[in-house]
Amino acid sequence: MARVEEGKPYGWGRLHAAFQVLEGLAVGRTELGKPSQLRETTRTPRNAFLRLLPKMGTHLLIAREKGGRHAEAAEVVVGDMTRLIAPERMSKDNLDPGEAAEFRQGYDHQIGLYREKWGDLVV
């Protein structure tokens, strides 16, 4: 039996966390950590990420222009994003309650890693 950490929903939770942190690094706040936004991503993961991707470039540029720890963190987060987007088709379907729980575990894990590394930069 596969570990939760190896599942797609867990990885999507980690990816959502990366989008949230990049947005926070760029603009100093984010809506992506709100329960409604997390639910939206678990409803239709592929569509949610397609809506977030166009903002990624702008957020990366703004965070990198800040220099220092913001720039360093943005570089790492975007690198994580490229690894967290699996080379396969992402689900358009709603996650069932078990998958949604796995998504949340992945999200919490990734946010925890970023907070451990960058503390107050993670909003």
Side-chain angles (χ1 to χ4, degrees):
M1 186 169 175
R3 295 175 11 179
V4 168
E5 294 86 356
E6 297 168 350
K8 293 177 186 179
Y10 188 89
W12 297 334
R14 293 182 65 200
L15 180 60
H16 185 93
F19 275 104
Q20 175 184 328
V21 169
L22 183 61
E23 181 178 66
L25 289 168
V27 297
R29 60 180 168 66
T30 180
E31 300 287 316
L32 294 176
K34 291 186 173 186
S36 61
Q37 292 298 312
L38 293 169
R39 273 193 307 277
E40 179 63 29
T41 303
T42 62
R43 285 191 186 118
T44 55
R46 186 170 191 277
N47 292 340
F49 289 124
L50 284 172
R51 283 191 301 275
L52 293 172
L53 279 167
K55 298 176 185 177
M56 184 179 96
T58 301
H59 290 154
L60 173 61
L61 179 65
I62 293 168
R64 294 285 293 167
E65 287 178 334
K66 290 181 178 185
R69 292 176 62 223
H70 283 83
E72 176 189 328
E75 179 180 345
V76 171
V77 169
V78 170
D80 289 346
M81 288 174 165
T82 64
R83 289 182 289 281
L84 290 168
I85 299 173
E88 59 191 22
R89 188 106 172 129
M90 192 178 281
S91 177
K92 292 181 183 179
D93 299 330
N94 292 354
L95 301 184
D96 65 38
E99 292 170 325
E102 291 174 18
F103 175 95
R104 185 60 195 229
Q105 287 176 330
Y107 168 83
D108 289 340
H109 175 79
Q110 196 68 30
I111 288 291
L113 291 175
Y114 291 145
R115 283 201 175 117
E116 184 178 302
K117 190 165 190 167
W118 297 303
D120 62 333
L121 289 183
V122 178
V123 294

